[in-house]
Amino acid sequence: MSIPATPTAAAAAVLDDASLDVMFREARSANSFSAEPVDAETLQAIYDLAKFGPTAMNTSPLRIAFVTTAEGKARLLPHIFEHNQTKATQAPVVAILAVDTEFHEQIPTLFPHAPERKALFEDPEFRIPSANFNAGLQMGYFIMAVRALGLAAGPVGGFDTAGVDSEFFADRPWQSKLLVNIGKPGENPWFDRLPRLDYATATLTF
Amino acid sequence: MSIPATPTAAAAAVLDDASLDVMFREARSANSFSAEPVDAETLQAIYDLAKFGPTAMNTSPLRIAFVTTAEGKARLLPHIFEHNQTKATQAPVVAILAVDTEFHEQIPTLFPHAPERKALFEDPEFRIPSANFNAGLQMGYFIMAVRALGLAAGPVGGFDTAGVDSEFFADRPWQSKLLVNIGKPGENPWFDRLPRLDYATATLTF
């Protein structure tokens, strides 16, 4: 499978300061959203960036439901904890980030040179933690992809996952893990930046 | 806690094509590394980007051990599955990404306006899944931060986590989850890009 290749120029480039601000330093979780819509092409563009992030054996277990219509919002909102409902109502799109608990069915597509690896994941005791771990990485890539396209992301963990799953995923083995409000920030969208752990607390060097 | 603020220009910017390539479209998991060193300032710069990614209640449970010396590598390598040892030997730095299972001890620092929230996490049945989920998001941000600084990241899941924990974290409640080789790509560093799921398979719209 190893293909000789010259590292691309892109692989050696460092992002400029403005881009580092967009992605990390100035990026914030928006708590309000403007009415400006987010079109279907942009949602696909978010996916088409986030999908490239690495996962173990390319298993890519993240699945996404984009809730964009008034009808969809009406189905979603009752499952969101009350203090999170206003921002989900405002946001033009709420993405339900979910894990495909049967992701191994896609291994022949995703790992075509070794489709037999699917058998490694028959046991749910191994498969489900792997799904959760790798989908978690992908949720990080997803939030970064939203920001890369100039939109604010507002991750929300306060919702009834079982309620969302039975409302939206009754016909498929997807389990919701995180909501992400997506749009342009509205009025007073940011809280104060909270502290982060200093380098000496969060890291060791050997 | 809400502070009126004007969205910054950065929050509305879209990354240029070259930056989208660096972060997503052309970025690849390197399988070989050059001898070019990665200095301590760069490791701190990676952390100082990745730390800003959002987590639930700012809990930030990711911890990192950077293995940079020959002595450190000698302690790490016996715990890495054999087929992953060569690239970990070549890489100037191997980051051990870990979860602090006692992350709630930092809540008074990280969530200073409501330090009593620490009590929410006393029960390990709730605390450990929360730690794993939020650290997983942060591992996604970490890989993105490595790329943003012009370095190749090579995530490796094939290692003995218990062995690494007892070797490096015997004195603290950290649990290793993922290794990330960090450096400049070496010779023939990339495999062929594997397929990704198409938009219609991985997403729904409501």
Side-chain angles (χ1 to χ4, degrees), chain B residues 161-177:
Chain B
T161 58
V164 165
D165 294 350
S166 78
E167 181 67 40
F168 291 95
F169 305 142
D171 60 343
R172 61 190 70 221
W174 296 9
Q175 291 181 350
S176 60
K177 298 291 177 183

PDB file of all heavy atoms in Angstrom, chain B residues 161-177:
ATOM      1  N   THR B 161      -1.565   0.348  26.501  1.00  0.00           N
ATOM      2  CA  THR B 161      -1.865   1.534  27.310  1.00  0.00           C
ATOM      3  C   THR B 161      -1.512   1.302  28.785  1.00  0.00           C
ATOM      4  O   THR B 161      -0.975   2.198  29.438  1.00  0.00           O
ATOM      5  CB  THR B 161      -3.354   1.925  27.191  1.00  0.00           C
ATOM      6  OG1 THR B 161      -4.163   0.828  27.590  1.00  0.00           O
ATOM      7  CG2 THR B 161      -3.698   2.313  25.759  1.00  0.00           C
ATOM      8  N   ALA B 162      -1.788   0.112  29.294  1.00  0.00           N
ATOM      9  CA  ALA B 162      -1.471  -0.157  30.709  1.00  0.00           C
ATOM     10  C   ALA B 162       0.028  -0.112  30.947  1.00  0.00           C
ATOM     11  O   ALA B 162       0.494   0.410  31.972  1.00  0.00           O
ATOM     12  CB  ALA B 162      -2.048  -1.516  31.133  1.00  0.00           C
ATOM     13  N   GLY B 163       0.791  -0.638  29.992  1.00  0.00           N
ATOM     14  CA  GLY B 163       2.244  -0.592  30.123  1.00  0.00           C
ATOM     15  C   GLY B 163       2.764   0.836  30.105  1.00  0.00           C
ATOM     16  O   GLY B 163       3.630   1.207  30.910  1.00  0.00           O
ATOM     17  N   VAL B 164       2.247   1.648  29.208  1.00  0.00           N
ATOM     18  CA  VAL B 164       2.665   3.062  29.149  1.00  0.00           C
ATOM     19  C   VAL B 164       2.286   3.780  30.431  1.00  0.00           C
ATOM     20  O   VAL B 164       3.074   4.557  30.989  1.00  0.00           O
ATOM     21  CB  VAL B 164       2.039   3.757  27.912  1.00  0.00           C
ATOM     22  CG1 VAL B 164       2.151   5.272  28.007  1.00  0.00           C
ATOM     23  CG2 VAL B 164       2.699   3.244  26.639  1.00  0.00           C
ATOM     24  N   ASP B 165       1.085   3.502  30.928  1.00  0.00           N
ATOM     25  CA  ASP B 165       0.645   4.191  32.149  1.00  0.00           C
ATOM     26  C   ASP B 165       1.555   3.838  33.331  1.00  0.00           C
ATOM     27  O   ASP B 165       1.902   4.713  34.130  1.00  0.00           O
ATOM     28  CB  ASP B 165      -0.807   3.830  32.479  1.00  0.00           C
ATOM     29  CG  ASP B 165      -1.782   4.355  31.430  1.00  0.00           C
ATOM     30  OD1 ASP B 165      -1.360   5.153  30.571  1.00  0.00           O
ATOM     31  OD2 ASP B 165      -2.952   3.954  31.466  1.00  0.00           O
ATOM     32  N   SER B 166       1.916   2.570  33.462  1.00  0.00           N
ATOM     33  CA  SER B 166       2.732   2.221  34.630  1.00  0.00           C
ATOM     34  C   SER B 166       4.163   2.723  34.450  1.00  0.00           C
ATOM     35  O   SER B 166       4.835   3.043  35.437  1.00  0.00           O
ATOM     36  CB  SER B 166       2.661   0.721  34.931  1.00  0.00           C
ATOM     37  OG  SER B 166       3.478   0.012  34.065  1.00  0.00           O
ATOM     38  N   GLU B 167       4.613   2.855  33.208  1.00  0.00           N
ATOM     39  CA  GLU B 167       5.971   3.361  32.969  1.00  0.00           C
ATOM     40  C   GLU B 167       6.069   4.867  33.189  1.00  0.00           C
ATOM     41  O   GLU B 167       7.044   5.365  33.754  1.00  0.00           O
ATOM     42  CB  GLU B 167       6.392   3.018  31.538  1.00  0.00           C
ATOM     43  CG  GLU B 167       7.789   3.457  31.154  1.00  0.00           C
ATOM     44  CD  GLU B 167       8.867   2.703  31.919  1.00  0.00           C
ATOM     45  OE1 GLU B 167       8.711   1.481  32.120  1.00  0.00           O
ATOM     46  OE2 GLU B 167       9.847   3.351  32.342  1.00  0.00           O
ATOM     47  N   PHE B 168       5.045   5.608  32.744  1.00  0.00           N
ATOM     48  CA  PHE B 168       5.153   7.076  32.741  1.00  0.00           C
ATOM     49  C   PHE B 168       4.247   7.768  33.768  1.00  0.00           C
ATOM     50  O   PHE B 168       4.523   8.895  34.169  1.00  0.00           O
ATOM     51  CB  PHE B 168       4.836   7.623  31.344  1.00  0.00           C
ATOM     52  CG  PHE B 168       5.878   7.290  30.314  1.00  0.00           C
ATOM     53  CD1 PHE B 168       5.735   6.178  29.495  1.00  0.00           C
ATOM     54  CD2 PHE B 168       7.021   8.064  30.190  1.00  0.00           C
ATOM     55  CE1 PHE B 168       6.709   5.864  28.546  1.00  0.00           C
ATOM     56  CE2 PHE B 168       7.993   7.755  29.247  1.00  0.00           C
ATOM     57  CZ  PHE B 168       7.834   6.645  28.424  1.00  0.00           C
ATOM     58  N   PHE B 169       3.151   7.136  34.128  1.00  0.00           N
ATOM     59  CA  PHE B 169       2.142   7.832  34.940  1.00  0.00           C
ATOM     60  C   PHE B 169       1.869   7.123  36.266  1.00  0.00           C
ATOM     61  O   PHE B 169       0.771   7.256  36.830  1.00  0.00           O
ATOM     62  CB  PHE B 169       0.828   7.965  34.155  1.00  0.00           C
ATOM     63  CG  PHE B 169       0.964   8.634  32.808  1.00  0.00           C
ATOM     64  CD1 PHE B 169       0.227   8.196  31.713  1.00  0.00           C
ATOM     65  CD2 PHE B 169       1.826   9.711  32.623  1.00  0.00           C
ATOM     66  CE1 PHE B 169       0.341   8.801  30.474  1.00  0.00           C
ATOM     67  CE2 PHE B 169       1.952  10.323  31.372  1.00  0.00           C
ATOM     68  CZ  PHE B 169       1.209   9.868  30.292  1.00  0.00           C
ATOM     69  N   ALA B 170       2.858   6.388  36.778  1.00  0.00           N
ATOM     70  CA  ALA B 170       2.637   5.623  38.017  1.00  0.00           C
ATOM     71  C   ALA B 170       2.280   6.547  39.184  1.00  0.00           C
ATOM     72  O   ALA B 170       1.602   6.134  40.122  1.00  0.00           O
ATOM     73  CB  ALA B 170       3.884   4.796  38.352  1.00  0.00           C
ATOM     74  N   ASP B 171       2.728   7.809  39.098  1.00  0.00           N
ATOM     75  CA  ASP B 171       2.533   8.738  40.213  1.00  0.00           C
ATOM     76  C   ASP B 171       1.362   9.687  40.012  1.00  0.00           C
ATOM     77  O   ASP B 171       1.199  10.640  40.757  1.00  0.00           O
ATOM     78  CB  ASP B 171       3.809   9.564  40.403  1.00  0.00           C
ATOM     79  CG  ASP B 171       4.171  10.370  39.151  1.00  0.00           C
ATOM     80  OD1 ASP B 171       3.641  10.046  38.050  1.00  0.00           O
ATOM     81  OD2 ASP B 171       4.967  11.310  39.261  1.00  0.00           O
ATOM     82  N   ARG B 172       0.517   9.435  38.987  1.00  0.00           N
ATOM     83  CA  ARG B 172      -0.578  10.377  38.724  1.00  0.00           C
ATOM     84  C   ARG B 172      -1.732   9.650  38.026  1.00  0.00           C
ATOM     85  O   ARG B 172      -1.514   8.641  37.370  1.00  0.00           O
ATOM     86  CB  ARG B 172      -0.079  11.557  37.900  1.00  0.00           C
ATOM     87  CG  ARG B 172       0.471  11.184  36.543  1.00  0.00           C
ATOM     88  CD  ARG B 172       1.162  12.400  35.905  1.00  0.00           C
ATOM     89  NE  ARG B 172       2.389  12.733  36.604  1.00  0.00           N
ATOM     90  CZ  ARG B 172       2.789  13.965  36.875  1.00  0.00           C
ATOM     91  NH1 ARG B 172       2.077  15.000  36.495  1.00  0.00           N
ATOM     92  NH2 ARG B 172       3.910  14.174  37.528  1.00  0.00           N
ATOM     93  N   PRO B 173      -2.947  10.199  38.120  1.00  0.00           N
ATOM     94  CA  PRO B 173      -4.122   9.483  37.611  1.00  0.00           C
ATOM     95  C   PRO B 173      -4.396   9.734  36.132  1.00  0.00           C
ATOM     96  O   PRO B 173      -5.507  10.041  35.736  1.00  0.00           O
ATOM     97  CB  PRO B 173      -5.258  10.036  38.479  1.00  0.00           C
ATOM     98  CG  PRO B 173      -4.833  11.451  38.750  1.00  0.00           C
ATOM     99  CD  PRO B 173      -3.325  11.422  38.863  1.00  0.00           C
ATOM    100  N   TRP B 174      -3.366   9.620  35.318  1.00  0.00           N
ATOM    101  CA  TRP B 174      -3.499   9.822  33.880  1.00  0.00           C
ATOM    102  C   TRP B 174      -3.571   8.467  33.194  1.00  0.00           C
ATOM    103  O   TRP B 174      -2.860   7.540  33.578  1.00  0.00           O
ATOM    104  CB  TRP B 174      -2.305  10.603  33.314  1.00  0.00           C
ATOM    105  CG  TRP B 174      -2.139  12.002  33.817  1.00  0.00           C
ATOM    106  CD1 TRP B 174      -2.800  12.627  34.840  1.00  0.00           C
ATOM    107  CD2 TRP B 174      -1.207  12.971  33.320  1.00  0.00           C
ATOM    108  NE1 TRP B 174      -2.352  13.906  35.009  1.00  0.00           N
ATOM    109  CE2 TRP B 174      -1.367  14.150  34.080  1.00  0.00           C
ATOM    110  CE3 TRP B 174      -0.253  12.961  32.294  1.00  0.00           C
ATOM    111  CZ2 TRP B 174      -0.598  15.299  33.847  1.00  0.00           C
ATOM    112  CZ3 TRP B 174       0.512  14.104  32.073  1.00  0.00           C
ATOM    113  CH2 TRP B 174       0.324  15.260  32.839  1.00  0.00           C
ATOM    114  N   GLN B 175      -4.419   8.380  32.171  1.00  0.00           N
ATOM    115  CA  GLN B 175      -4.539   7.151  31.387  1.00  0.00           C
ATOM    116  C   GLN B 175      -4.259   7.466  29.917  1.00  0.00           C
ATOM    117  O   GLN B 175      -4.956   8.286  29.313  1.00  0.00           O
ATOM    118  CB  GLN B 175      -5.946   6.560  31.522  1.00  0.00           C
ATOM    119  CG  GLN B 175      -6.239   6.015  32.913  1.00  0.00           C
ATOM    120  CD  GLN B 175      -7.626   5.401  33.025  1.00  0.00           C
ATOM    121  OE1 GLN B 175      -8.453   5.533  32.119  1.00  0.00           O
ATOM    122  NE2 GLN B 175      -7.889   4.736  34.150  1.00  0.00           N
ATOM    123  N   SER B 176      -3.288   6.772  29.353  1.00  0.00           N
ATOM    124  CA  SER B 176      -2.927   7.015  27.954  1.00  0.00           C
ATOM    125  C   SER B 176      -3.994   6.462  27.017  1.00  0.00           C
ATOM    126  O   SER B 176      -4.604   5.417  27.285  1.00  0.00           O
ATOM    127  CB  SER B 176      -1.569   6.375  27.639  1.00  0.00           C
ATOM    128  OG  SER B 176      -1.612   4.978  27.863  1.00  0.00           O
ATOM    129  N   LYS B 177      -4.227   7.180  25.921  1.00  0.00           N
ATOM    130  CA  LYS B 177      -5.255   6.793  24.942  1.00  0.00           C
ATOM    131  C   LYS B 177      -4.723   6.724  23.513  1.00  0.00           C
ATOM    132  O   LYS B 177      -5.248   5.964  22.699  1.00  0.00           O
ATOM    133  CB  LYS B 177      -6.415   7.804  24.969  1.00  0.00           C
ATOM    134  CG  LYS B 177      -7.145   7.902  26.292  1.00  0.00           C
ATOM    135  CD  LYS B 177      -7.946   6.652  26.588  1.00  0.00           C
ATOM    136  CE  LYS B 177      -8.621   6.746  27.959  1.00  0.00           C
ATOM    137  NZ  LYS B 177      -9.347   5.494  28.285  1.00  0.00           N
TER     138      LYS B 177
END
